[in-house]
Amino acid sequence: MADVIDSSATNSSAIRNSASGGTIAGHSTGGPHWTPLQEIDARDLGSQTNDLLDELQPDVSVAAIPLQIRAEIHSSGQNVALRRWPAVEVESQHLPKSPGVMPSWKPTRPKIATYGLQFPEGMSLIAKAAADGKSDHSDQSKAGKSDPPPIEILPGYEPPTLASLVDGLVEEPKPKQVTRIKPPDDALAIEDRLFYLLQPPLQSWLAGQELIMPFEPFPYQYEGIGWLFSKSSALLADEMGLGKTMQTITAIRLLVRSGQVRRVLLVCPKPLLPNWQREFRTWAEELPFVVVEGDGERRKLTWTIPGVPVLIANYESVVRDFAAFGEGEFPKFDLIVLDEAQRIKNRTSRTAETARALPRRRSWALTGTPIENRPEELGALYEFLEVVPPNATPDLRQLQSLAKQFILRRTKNLVMKDMPPRLDRDAYLELLPAQKSAYEMAENEGVVQLNNLGDSITVQHVFELVLRLKQITNFDPLTGESAKLDRLEADMEEIAASGGKAILFSQWTKVIDWLAKPMEKYGALIYHGGVPNKQREPILARFKEDPDAHILLMSYGTGAVGLNLQFAGYVFLFDRWWNPAIEDQAINRAHRIGCKSQVIVTRFISKDTIEERIDKVLTEKRELFAAILGDGDDTNVTLSMNASEIFGLFDLKARHGKGTRVIGPKPVV
Amino acid sequence: MSNGNHDQFRLGFLTAVEDAERGYVGGLLITNRFGRPLEFQCTAPVKPNRTQQILYGPTLKPYVLSELIGRTLLEKVGVKPHLILLESLDLLDLRSVTSTPVASLVLAPDASRPALQEQGDGKEVATATVLPNSLRLGNEVVVFHSTHDEDRTEIEKFAKLVPVDADLREPFERVREALAETVRLSAARPA
């Protein structure tokens, strides 16, 4: 069969040989591989092939294709070589009797290098709810039922949303927000960075599981808490009313809980001590604190009392007691927080020097007005934060660069979506006849006197005249006539009828006392520097709780800072302060986080008087201040009125080149 | 863990990330029942060699993740977890090398929350609970190893200690982020 296939692939003559029972000519004869093809008639070839196929068909199923190729070997004289058999040599190979050793592989468990980090043990503090034997699975709902602080100014509010402010709008479920703590830029070691990265999101940390939060913070507050948590040096400079206190307390709480701090000192102005105590009770009920107060011996004992994570002291105590301790004996703190840190803006003051000398690991400063007058004030704060060398005077560029790293400032405009609006309405009032004549007389006489002073005139002289005129715009000292009071009574009638509450600010305690009588029918309460400290908290509590107390009369100095009066929907500025930042602080007692409705701010401005002129200057300054702070915290604008501006009120010129000296009175704190 | 001291209950979150050049890096985060971190351990990158790739074939990944990375981390960790959670079924074989109960979240990390369907009585149940060897933990459905049925009782006991709204996927994000940071820092560090 092989022959047949072979032959069919070569030539047709071979096929014929095979079919007749012979062998391939070449193999049997030893002749040439190729025999010359005999001439065959094409028809014969076709018929023979068919015969062949007929015989084969039972055995094979392939059809042979007749090839009609003629192979002719050219006679070259070497054809004999083609008949020769190729030489074949045989070589024997010795195979191995058994297989040799091959590479083997067994699974082994390689040793793997690891890196580990254990988190410090936090202080185990027991929340009141848990201590009472309540399950903490529903802490959120029970938080409000825990022991109320003795005086609670914060109402049990829910954070307002835009939707909740508009009737008929159904609030859509908010997308879940996650605030992660970022490692600070100066954390380079891997363990430091992992410590922050592996902390849970603040929302779940503070979601009432392990730490009870009485109220849900706003997104920007979460951001502030996370920022403070990760900072050794921080200046939280949020605008007033955005919740610096709550952010600070919560960050302290998290630091204590995560074992980062064990002893914290909070320093604040004396009038704010009750406020901080109340806020600590509200926002960190499980965190024990002690106020440094009493006589020297008791204070000394308090400073060194062990096991208390938070001490609260006022600036005066700190300065006095630090000096009383011997060198190196003052207790060391893991964190020192300065509230209203503008108190140390003068770096050579004793307060500033003491603050810088306090032994500590972390330094935080809180202020709503990081720059009240000059950028150098920021330098003093940086020195406390230990981010500039002692006595350094960073230029504006350095201040900006440091601000990016160490200052967090948010304005209400940035977070306004979380807050109801503040509506400013200026009330321009005509003086009443008696007021007007008294005013004109005083002004004319005053200017004449000033001119008579000649070169001996000082800003103080001008300032005195301004004060006298401002008092007349409030009320005529002889007749008691007052355009402002008339307007106030009209407004208060409406406010009281609707159950609203108002705060009124004046520069003078005398004016406040004078207003008390006509405002008696609206349940007026008085809160100024003349009111003893112990009576102040009950007054605030009554203002909040007594439905008949519709107005609180306050002085800028005592009432402007730190108080939470967000249940008041109206603010009256009976007369104007010199510095718009102080006025803003006053307004922000009511217009702050937690206020449920808009706050209407009314400024009384007497037409064609010194007040209108001051207002013009202050408005311009406010616009400038807003423009600069909007882009950052770099400003060298002088917010208080300077001597040149005071002289300008009466078309007088500043003498002796003291045109930029600040003469505005300092608020009494 | 004594029954009376729930705060001692610890969860372990074990996962690994793959770096194209360096191989697998595994991380184990131990937290308390509220997700607060107690300890973190991570491995150096583990890259299987060619022989391992050939010989282990499709079982290579479970081998590297469970036996090499998972087991090493569990041996190294000082604060021992009471329950180890995984986010991939690939690691569930870890149960064969440890005596600690192991459970894996059911859905892929990028999938949405477990689908909840309302029953006739208004109660929500996870549809995934119909899976064998699965039960509810926090806001997730977890699966345990089929050969360790005794884990069901243990996990059910722990389930009571985990707040029902606890997000059990979130800690894995932290671990991945920490692993990325360690890889980044070790890559930046001169050899």
Side-chain angles (χ1 to χ4, degrees):
Chain A
M1 185 60 224
D3 292 344
V4 174
I5 294 170
D6 191 24
S7 304
S8 68
T10 53
N11 60 50
S12 55
S13 72
I15 290 170
R16 187 165 35 199
N17 287 339
S18 172
S20 57
T23 57
I24 296 171
H27 285 200
S28 59
T29 60
H33 290 282
W34 302 94
T35 48
L37 188 68
Q38 291 176 4
E39 285 192 14
I40 304 168
D41 189 298
R43 282 169 306 181
D44 287 351
L45 186 65
S47 65
Q48 286 170 7
T49 311
N50 283 343
D51 295 343
L52 246 171
L53 284 174
D54 288 343
E55 286 177 22
L56 289 170
Q57 262 168 357
D59 298 324
V60 289
S61 62
V62 289
I65 302 166
L67 299 175
Q68 296 185 27
I69 302 167
R70 254 172 222 280
E72 290 179 2
I73 297 175
H74 178 70
S75 179
S76 64
Q78 295 181 351
N79 290 359
V80 178
L82 294 173
R83 296 180 186 174
R84 196 177 301 139
W85 283 99
V88 177
E89 287 181 11
V90 177
E91 188 184 327
S92 63
Q93 286 287 335
H94 296 285
L95 293 173
K97 286 176 186 169
S98 60
V101 177
M102 296 295 287
S104 67
W105 183 89
K106 266 200 265 180
T108 51
R109 197 169 148 242
K111 199 174 177 187
I112 297 169
T114 59
Y115 172 78
L117 164 76
Q118 275 205 359
F119 290 75
E121 188 87 14
M123 286 178 96
S124 49
L125 303 165
I126 301 164
K128 279 179 192 164
D132 293 345
K134 295 172 186 171
S135 160
D136 51 0
H137 277 247
S138 55
D139 286 336
Q140 196 109 32
S141 61
K142 287 175 184 173
K145 293 175 190 170
S146 61
D147 292 347
I151 299 154
E152 193 182 352
I153 297 301
L154 274 171
Y157 73 94
E158 286 172 4
T161 61
L162 280 182
S164 68
L165 297 171
V166 183
D167 287 342
L169 275 184
V170 179
E171 197 179 335
E172 288 183 10
K174 283 185 245 173
K176 195 182 166 196
Q177 197 219 354
V178 172
T179 308
R180 295 285 308 279
I181 296 169
K182 294 175 195 151
D185 294 338
D186 53 355
L188 299 176
I190 188 164
E191 58 267 29
D192 290 344
R193 299 189 69 80
L194 291 185
F195 172 83
Y196 293 107
L197 278 174
L198 288 166
Q199 296 299 336
L202 289 178
Q203 280 81 358
S204 65
W205 206 355
L206 299 171
Q209 296 175 352
E210 193 170 27
L211 294 169
I212 299 162
M213 287 294 276
F215 314 110
E216 168 85 20
F218 290 97
Y220 76 89
Q221 291 177 324
Y222 276 121
E223 190 197 333
I225 294 163
W227 183 80
L228 278 176
F229 182 85
S230 65
K231 287 281 181 188
S232 298
S233 303
L235 171 56
L236 182 60
D238 283 350
E239 204 180 354
M240 291 78 71
L242 294 186
K244 287 190 290 292
T245 306
M246 170 272 192
Q247 294 175 64
T248 306
I249 291 174
T250 310
I252 290 174
R253 197 182 187 196
L254 296 182
L255 285 174
V256 171
R257 195 45 88 104
S258 58
Q260 291 295 287
V261 299
R262 287 183 175 272
R263 271 177 73 78
V264 179
L265 170 63
L266 191 136
V267 188
C268 66
K270 197 173 179 184
L272 296 186
L273 281 174
N275 197 57
W276 274 101
Q277 294 175 60
R278 186 177 57 240
E279 296 288 320
F280 263 105
R281 283 189 207 107
T282 306
W283 292 102
E285 61 173 357
E286 83 285 4
L287 203 59
F289 63 84
V290 171
V291 179
V292 180
E293 57 190 352
D295 57 28
E297 271 306 303
R298 187 178 160 190
R299 289 205 308 274
K300 191 161 187 178
L301 204 67
T302 312
W303 281 115
T304 49
I305 193 169
V308 177
V310 179
L311 287 185
I312 305 176
N314 64 51
Y315 281 96
E316 292 76 17
S317 296
V318 171
V319 171
R320 205 165 41 231
D321 295 346
F322 181 75
F325 275 91
E327 202 180 324
E329 285 179 14
F330 196 79
K332 189 173 179 176
F333 290 90
D334 296 318
L335 165 66
I336 289 183
V337 186
L338 298 188
D339 184 27
E340 302 295 347
Q342 66 272 22
R343 288 284 290 261
I344 61 159
K345 66 184 176 187
N346 178 3
R347 63 172 86 192
T348 55
S349 70
R350 204 169 156 213
T351 309
E353 282 173 356
T354 307
R356 291 198 298 270
L358 295 170
R360 64 200 185 272
R361 286 199 301 115
R362 292 171 188 243
S363 316
W364 294 353
L366 315 175
T367 175
T369 48
I371 307 164
E372 274 188 329
N373 290 304
R374 300 176 308 279
E376 297 86 75
E377 294 166 4
L378 210 48
L381 292 175
Y382 284 143
E383 203 174 326
F384 165 72
L385 299 181
E386 297 181 318
V387 296
V388 294
N391 299 316
T393 49
D395 61 26
L396 206 59
R397 229 167 130 186
Q398 289 166 320
L399 286 174
Q400 278 177 319
S401 143
L402 289 165
K404 273 186 196 160
Q405 207 179 340
F406 299 106
I407 295 183
L408 182 63
R409 177 175 172 85
R410 279 80 54 93
T411 59
K412 283 204 188 115
N413 287 339
L414 276 176
V415 297
M416 191 50 91
K417 55 185 179 296
D418 296 333
M419 291 263 293
R422 161 182 147 181
L423 302 178
D424 288 12
R425 53 176 198 189
D426 291 345
Y428 289 93
L429 307 170
E430 290 278 1
L431 291 179
L432 295 178
Q435 268 185 296
K436 194 162 188 170
S437 58
Y439 180 88
E440 281 170 359
M441 192 187 293
E443 180 168 29
N444 291 337
E445 280 178 9
V447 173
V448 169
Q449 280 174 8
L450 289 178
N451 280 325
N452 288 343
L453 287 170
D455 275 352
S456 63
I457 187 172
T458 66
V459 283
Q460 201 55 40
H461 294 119
V462 186
F463 189 58
E464 278 164 16
L465 176 60
V466 171
L467 288 179
R468 195 157 68 240
L469 294 177
K470 279 183 77 180
Q471 281 170 333
I472 297 172
T473 62
N474 280 349
F475 66 94
D476 173 33
L478 281 178
T479 61
E481 267 190 15
S482 169
K484 290 182 181 177
L485 178 61
D486 288 357
R487 170 64 187 266
L488 178 66
E489 285 193 305
D491 282 1
M492 278 312 297
E493 201 172 320
E494 206 177 305
I495 291 167
S498 62
K501 287 180 190 283
I503 313 168
L504 180 143
F505 285 96
S506 172
Q507 185 179 347
W508 290 282
T509 55
K510 208 169 123 188
V511 172
I512 292 167
D513 292 337
W514 173 78
L515 280 169
K517 196 160 174 29
M519 288 292 113
E520 207 171 5
K521 54 183 175 281
Y522 304 114
L525 294 164
I526 290 176
Y527 188 99
H528 57 54
V531 178
N533 267 338
K534 282 186 180 173
Q535 288 175 23
R536 291 184 185 180
E537 283 290 321
I539 287 172
L540 297 179
R542 188 173 155 209
F543 181 53
K544 186 204 160 195
E545 284 154 18
D546 186 349
D548 294 327
H550 293 291
I551 187 163
L552 182 66
L553 308 171
M554 308 182 94
S555 63
Y556 282 104
T558 311
V561 199
L563 301 174
N564 300 319
L565 303 169
Q566 53 272 76
F567 45 88
Y570 301 86
V571 174
F572 293 100
L573 304 185
F574 201 72
D575 41 57
R576 310 292 306 278
W577 194 258
W578 305 91
N579 184 336
I582 302 292
E583 284 190 348
D584 277 338
Q585 276 194 339
I587 293 164
N588 286 321
R589 296 313 98 215
H591 189 238
R592 62 196 296 116
I593 292 306
C595 63
K596 279 186 172 174
S597 60
Q598 64 187 12
V599 174
I600 295 172
V601 180
T602 309
R603 292 188 189 85
F604 290 149
I605 300 155
S606 300
K607 269 188 185 175
D608 303 323
T609 66
I610 191 82
E611 282 197 324
E612 205 171 22
R613 278 170 263 165
I614 293 173
D615 179 64
K616 196 175 164 226
V617 177
L618 291 187
T619 305
E620 285 166 4
K621 279 176 170 280
R622 188 188 295 273
E623 282 165 5
L624 192 59
F625 183 62
I628 293 169
L629 271 189
D631 295 325
D633 290 320
D634 51 319
T635 170
N636 59 359
V637 63
T638 306
L639 292 171
S640 296
M641 292 183 76
N642 57 42
S644 174
E645 286 160 347
I646 294 281
F647 277 106
L649 293 172
F650 298 103
D651 290 332
L652 300 166
K653 283 185 183 169
R655 265 73 161 178
H656 310 303
K658 291 176 180 173
T660 56
R661 188 154 66 90
V662 177
I663 63 153
K666 302 282 179 292
V668 182
V669 181
Chain B
M1 182 184 56
S2 71
N3 287 338
N5 199 352
H6 294 165
D7 288 341
Q8 299 295 312
F9 174 60
R10 297 180 293 272
L11 280 162
F13 295 87
L14 177 71
T15 193
V17 294
E18 188 176 2
D19 182 75
E21 285 179 11
R22 300 165 150 240
Y24 294 97
V25 182
L28 172 63
L29 175 67
I30 312 294
T31 74
N32 70 359
R33 66 197 178 111
F34 299 121
R36 188 154 58 81
L38 302 172
E39 184 172 343
F40 176 72
Q41 289 282 345
C42 65
T43 66
V46 179
K47 187 161 191 176
N49 57 30
R50 186 70 191 130
T51 312
Q52 287 168 321
Q53 283 173 2
I54 294 167
L55 292 173
Y56 280 92
T59 66
L60 180 71
K61 194 176 171 188
Y63 165 72
V64 173
L65 296 183
S66 301
E67 206 153 321
L68 297 189
I69 289 177
R71 193 173 162 185
T72 305
L73 289 172
L74 281 173
E75 284 168 359
K76 288 279 178 181
V77 78
V79 181
K80 300 290 180 196
H82 297 99
L83 171 65
I84 301 157
L85 286 174
L86 316 167
E87 56 176 350
S88 162
L89 294 170
D90 284 343
L91 272 86
L92 208 52
D93 277 344
L94 181 69
R95 184 64 181 92
S96 56
V97 295
T98 177
S99 58
T100 311
V102 178
S104 171
L105 306 188
V106 168
L107 298 175
D110 54 347
S112 57
R113 304 276 118 202
L116 294 171
Q117 63 183 15
E118 213 168 86
Q119 284 181 323
D121 57 1
K123 266 188 172 177
E124 280 183 336
V125 293
T127 49
T129 50
V130 297
L131 288 172
N133 310 326
S134 69
L135 44 87
R136 186 85 194 237
L137 187 71
N139 65 350
E140 295 284 342
V141 173
V142 297
V143 177
F144 54 90
H145 204 282
S146 55
T147 58
H148 289 77
D149 207 38
E150 70 276 13
D151 283 1
R152 175 184 290 278
T153 328
E154 281 290 291
I155 298 171
E156 273 174 350
K157 194 173 77 185
F158 298 142
K160 291 174 193 160
L161 303 178
V162 179
V164 284
D165 58 346
D167 182 358
L168 295 180
R169 288 195 183 271
E170 182 280 320
F172 289 110
E173 286 169 26
R174 279 186 260 164
V175 178
R176 278 195 294 275
E177 210 171 312
L179 292 178
E181 185 77 3
T182 32
V183 170
R184 188 182 68 79
L185 287 177
S186 57
R189 194 170 294 164

